[in-house]
Amino acid sequence: MLPMTLCELEKGEMGIVIDLIQNEFTLKLVEMGIYKGRTITPTEFTLLKDPICVSVSDSRLMLRKEEAKSIIVTKCDL
């Protein structure tokens, strides 16, 4: 599968984090449990997809679009 950003996943699609673009959000994302190898699923979108609600492990997080763009994933077909 081709790498994409978290913003490109549709609601309910599962992705595996393969990289984080290094920027001012990187440490915050890691502290929230988003790092390489984790599965992440967009669960809810607002009208303009900003912010988005994602499921990581047993947690639900709200991410701004700018933060979601720095998460590189590959779609996981389960």
Side-chain angles (χ1 to χ4, degrees):
M1 291 305 248
L2 293 174
M4 61 180 67
T5 66
L6 179 59
C7 292
E8 297 174 87
L9 287 179
E10 298 295 324
K11 181 179 176 180
E13 289 183 327
M14 186 182 296
I16 298 173
V17 178
I18 58 171
D19 203 5
L20 297 175
I21 296 173
Q22 297 296 311
N23 57 31
E24 66 270 18
F25 307 122
T26 307
L27 180 59
K28 177 182 172 186
L29 294 171
V30 172
E31 288 173 342
M32 291 191 298
I34 300 171
Y35 48 84
K36 290 181 186 179
R38 295 291 283 215
T39 57
I40 190 167
T41 306
T43 57
E44 299 294 329
F45 291 111
T46 58
L47 187 59
L48 300 174
K49 288 190 174 183
D50 192 18
I52 66 173
C53 180
V54 297
S55 175
V56 179
S57 193
D58 291 332
S59 300
R60 294 226 175 175
L61 307 169
M62 294 296 287
L63 298 175
R64 293 178 287 175
K65 192 173 193 175
E66 198 62 34
E67 295 164 335
K69 284 182 180 179
S70 65
I71 302 169
I72 308 299
V73 300
T74 183
K75 195 182 333 182
C76 181
D77 297 319
L78 290 178

